[in-house]
Amino acid sequence: MPDTQDPWQPTRPIPAHRRKGPGALSPAQLALADDLHTRALALRTASDGDLSIREAVHLAAVQLGLETPAPDDDQ
């Protein structure tokens, strides 16, 4: 009978959103991450590239109420 075990193990760690057991994201965390990603992508697209990815994610987090605006943030 042929060996069906894969002898090659992944060389990189499995991303947290695909893990099972400790370190895996809960469904609520996955939903929040998806909302943050979607909003940040929309903000960056609407800015025609004027916002960096970091700025878009920060602004999305502020809009979702996950972060408080920094004193120098223009809202």
Side-chain angles (χ1 to χ4, degrees), residues 59 64 74:
L59 184 55
L64 288 172
D74 294 328

Side-chain angles (χ1 to χ4, degrees), residues 18-62:
R18 294 188 181 168
R19 289 184 195 147
K20 296 180 192 252
L25 296 178
S26 70
Q29 290 170 323
L30 284 171
L32 184 60
D34 189 42
D35 290 346
L36 185 63
H37 174 261
T38 303
R39 187 174 294 246
L41 185 60
L43 287 167
R44 188 146 195 257
T45 302
S47 75
D48 293 325
D50 290 339
L51 285 177
S52 70
I53 294 170
R54 177 179 283 195
E55 292 167 331
V57 171
H58 175 74
L59 184 55
V62 169

